[in-house]
């Protein structure tokens, strides 16, 4: 998966539908395991943190 240090999501089940994250000093990269070389999203750490906060706030607790 390119030359980034990718970490698989802890919410990933077995299979080919996993989100991977690679962090750097200035960018966070996200990709999915089915197409790791073509579907890479890049965000600043601030934007990524906002995304995570929003997703956590909208996730039902159970």
């Amino acid at each position: 998966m390119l030359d980034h240090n990718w970490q698989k999501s802890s919410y990933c089940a077995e299979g080919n539908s996993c989100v991977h994250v690679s962090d750097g000093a200035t960018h966070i990269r996200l990709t999915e395991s089915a197409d790791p070389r073509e579907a890479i999203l890049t965000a600043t750490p601030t934007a990524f943190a906002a995304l995570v906060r929003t997703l956590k706030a909208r996730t039902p607790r159970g």
Side-chain angles (χ1 to χ4, degrees):
M1 254 194 250
L2 301 175
D3 292 333
H4 304 292
N5 185 18
W6 294 101
Q7 178 180 342
K8 184 169 59 170
S9 169
S10 61
Y11 288 96
C12 180
E14 295 298 320
N16 208 20
S17 298
C18 300
V19 173
H20 292 77
V21 178
S22 172
D23 67 337
T26 59
H27 292 90
I28 306 293
R29 291 175 180 85
L30 296 113
T31 190
E32 58 116 358
S33 55
D35 192 10
R37 295 187 181 270
E38 298 296 326
I40 297 176
L41 303 174
T42 303
T44 64
T46 302
F48 182 72
L51 171 65
V52 170
R53 278 192 307 275
T54 300
L55 292 173
K56 284 182 176 182
R58 293 182 181 192
T59 301
R61 309 261 184 231

